[in-house]
Coordinates of all heavy atoms in Angstrom, one line a residue:
L171 N 92.1 233.5 39.6 CA 91.7 234.6 40.4 C 90.3 234.8 40.2 O 89.7 234.7 39.1 CB 92.5 235.8 39.9 CG 92.4 237.1 40.6 CD1 92.9 237.0 42.1 CD2 93.0 238.3 39.9
T172 N 89.5 235.2 41.3 CA 88.1 235.5 41.2 C 87.7 236.9 41.7 O 88.5 237.5 42.5 CB 87.3 234.5 41.9 OG1 87.7 234.5 43.3 CG2 87.5 233.0 41.4
S173 N 86.7 237.3 41.2 CA 86.2 238.7 41.6 C 84.7 238.6 41.7 O 84.1 237.6 41.4 CB 86.6 239.8 40.5 OG 85.9 239.5 39.4
T174 N 84.3 239.6 42.4 CA 82.7 239.8 42.6 C 82.4 241.0 41.5 O 83.4 241.7 41.1 CB 82.3 240.2 44.0 OG1 82.9 241.3 44.4 CG2 82.5 238.9 44.9
R175 N 81.2 241.0 41.1 CA 80.8 242.1 40.3 C 79.8 242.9 40.9 O 78.9 242.6 41.5 CB 80.2 241.4 38.9 CG 81.0 240.6 38.1 CD 82.1 241.4 37.3 NE 82.9 240.6 36.6 CZ 83.2 240.9 35.3 NH1 82.7 242.0 34.7 NH2 84.0 240.0 34.6
S176 N 79.9 244.2 40.6 CA 79.0 245.3 41.1 C 77.8 245.2 40.2 O 77.8 244.6 39.1 CB 79.6 246.6 41.1 OG 79.8 247.0 39.7
P177 N 76.7 245.8 40.6 CA 75.5 245.9 39.7 C 75.8 246.5 38.3 O 75.2 246.0 37.3 CB 74.5 246.7 40.5 CG 74.9 246.5 41.9 CD 76.3 246.4 41.9
S178 N 76.7 247.2 38.3 CA 77.1 248.0 37.0 C 78.3 247.0 36.1 O 78.6 247.3 35.1 CB 77.7 249.3 37.1 OG 78.9 249.3 37.8
G179 N 78.6 245.9 36.8 CA 79.5 244.9 36.1 C 81.0 245.1 36.4 O 81.9 244.4 35.8
Q180 N 81.3 246.2 37.4 CA 82.8 246.3 37.6 C 83.2 245.2 38.6 O 82.5 244.7 39.3 CB 82.8 247.6 38.4 CG 82.6 249.0 37.5 CD 83.0 250.2 38.2 OE1 82.8 250.2 39.4 NE2 83.4 251.1 37.5
R181 N 84.5 244.7 38.4 CA 85.2 243.7 39.1 C 85.6 244.3 40.4 O 86.2 245.4 40.4 CB 86.4 243.1 38.4 CG 86.0 242.4 37.1 CD 87.4 241.9 36.5 NE 87.2 241.0 35.5 CZ 87.0 241.3 34.2 NH1 87.0 242.5 33.8 NH2 86.8 240.4 33.2
H182 N 85.4 243.6 41.5 CA 85.8 244.0 42.8 C 86.7 242.8 43.3 O 86.3 241.7 43.3 CB 84.7 244.4 43.7 CG 84.0 245.6 43.3 ND1 84.5 246.9 43.8 CD2 83.0 245.9 42.6 CE1 83.8 247.8 43.1 NE2 82.9 247.3 42.4
Y183 N 87.8 243.2 44.0 CA 88.7 242.3 44.6 C 88.9 242.4 46.0 O 88.7 243.5 46.5 CB 90.1 242.3 43.9 CG 90.0 241.9 42.4 CD1 89.8 243.0 41.5 CD2 90.0 240.6 41.9 CE1 89.7 242.7 40.1 CE2 89.9 240.2 40.6 CZ 89.8 241.3 39.6 OH 89.7 241.1 38.4
R184 N 89.4 241.3 46.8 CA 89.7 241.4 48.2 C 91.2 242.0 48.3 O 92.0 241.9 47.5 CB 89.5 240.2 48.9 CG 88.2 239.6 48.7 CD 88.1 238.1 49.0 NE 88.9 237.6 48.0 CZ 89.4 236.2 48.0 NH1 89.0 235.4 48.9 NH2 90.2 235.8 47.1
D185 N 91.5 242.6 49.4 CA 92.9 243.0 49.7 C 93.9 241.7 49.7 O 95.0 242.0 49.1 CB 92.9 243.6 51.1 CG 92.3 245.0 51.1 OD1 92.1 245.5 50.0 OD2 92.0 245.4 52.1
T186 N 93.4 240.6 50.0 CA 94.2 239.3 50.0 C 94.6 238.9 48.6 O 95.6 238.2 48.4 CB 93.5 238.3 50.8 OG1 92.3 237.9 50.1 CG2 93.4 238.4 52.2
D187 N 93.8 239.6 47.6 CA 94.2 239.1 46.2 C 95.6 239.7 45.8 O 96.1 239.1 44.8 CB 93.0 239.6 45.2 CG 91.9 238.6 45.5 OD1 92.0 237.5 45.7 OD2 90.8 239.2 45.2
I188 N 95.9 240.8 46.5 CA 97.3 241.3 46.1 C 98.4 240.3 46.3 O 99.2 239.9 45.4 CB 97.7 242.5 47.0 CG1 96.7 243.7 46.7 CG2 99.0 243.0 46.8 CD1 96.7 244.8 47.8
D189 N 98.2 239.4 47.4 CA 99.3 238.4 47.6 C 99.0 237.3 46.7 O 100.0 236.7 46.3 CB 99.1 238.0 49.2 CG 99.6 238.9 50.3 OD1 100.4 239.8 49.8 OD2 99.1 238.9 51.3
R190 N 97.8 237.1 46.4 CA 97.5 235.9 45.5 C 98.2 236.2 44.1 O 98.8 235.3 43.5 CB 96.0 235.7 45.4 CG 95.7 234.5 44.5 CD 94.1 234.3 44.4 NE 93.8 233.0 43.8 CZ 93.6 231.8 44.3 NH1 94.0 231.6 45.6 NH2 93.4 230.7 43.6
V191 N 97.9 237.4 43.7 CA 98.5 237.8 42.3 C 100.1 237.7 42.3 O 100.7 237.2 41.5 CB 98.1 239.2 41.9 CG1 98.8 239.7 40.8 CG2 96.6 239.2 41.7
G192 N 100.7 238.1 43.5 CA 102.1 238.0 43.6 C 102.6 236.4 43.6 O 103.5 236.1 42.9
F193 N 101.8 235.7 44.2 CA 102.1 234.3 44.2 C 101.9 233.7 42.8 O 102.9 232.9 42.4 CB 101.1 233.6 45.1 CG 101.4 232.1 45.2 CD1 102.5 231.5 45.8 CD2 100.3 231.2 44.8 CE1 102.7 230.1 45.9 CE2 100.5 229.8 44.9 CZ 101.6 229.3 45.4
I194 N 100.8 234.0 42.0 CA 100.7 233.6 40.8 C 101.9 234.0 39.8 O 102.4 233.2 39.2 CB 99.3 234.1 40.2 CG1 98.1 233.4 40.8 CG2 99.2 233.8 38.7 CD1 96.9 234.0 40.6
Q195 N 102.2 235.2 40.0 CA 103.4 235.9 39.2 C 104.7 235.1 39.5 O 105.4 234.8 38.6 CB 103.7 237.4 39.6 CG 102.6 238.2 39.1 CD 102.9 238.5 37.6 OE1 103.9 239.1 37.3 NE2 102.0 238.1 36.7
R196 N 105.0 234.7 40.7 CA 106.3 233.9 41.0 C 106.1 232.5 40.4 O 107.1 232.1 40.0 CB 106.4 233.8 42.6 CG 106.9 235.1 43.2 CD 107.2 234.8 44.8 NE 106.1 234.5 45.6 CZ 105.1 235.2 46.1 NH1 105.2 236.6 45.8 NH2 104.2 234.6 46.8
L197 N 104.9 231.9 40.4 CA 104.7 230.6 39.8 C 105.0 230.6 38.3 O 105.7 229.8 37.7 CB 103.4 229.9 40.0 CG 103.3 229.6 41.6 CD1 101.8 229.0 41.7 CD2 104.3 228.6 42.0
Y198 N 104.6 231.7 37.7 CA 104.7 231.9 36.3 C 106.3 232.1 35.9 O 106.9 231.6 35.0 CB 104.0 233.3 35.7 CG 102.6 232.9 35.3 CD1 101.5 233.5 35.8 CD2 102.4 231.9 34.1 CE1 100.3 233.3 35.2 CE2 101.1 231.6 33.9 CZ 100.1 232.4 34.4 OH 98.8 232.1 34.0

């Protein structure tokens, strides 16, 4: 999984990452 970082270092994700995380969970 990848994220972008804000200038303050906070991780930001796309809405499509919800599905990606679900897919990763199913593979685990």
Side-chain angles (χ1 to χ4, degrees):
L171 183 66
T172 58
S173 65
T174 57
R175 297 287 183 132
S176 71
S178 63
Q180 290 183 335
R181 292 175 170 94
H182 289 275
Y183 299 92
R184 301 164 297 175
D185 289 342
T186 56
D187 287 329
I188 297 169
D189 291 334
R190 185 178 186 90
V191 170
F193 179 66
I194 292 167
Q195 286 282 294
R196 288 190 299 279
L197 294 176
Y198 274 122

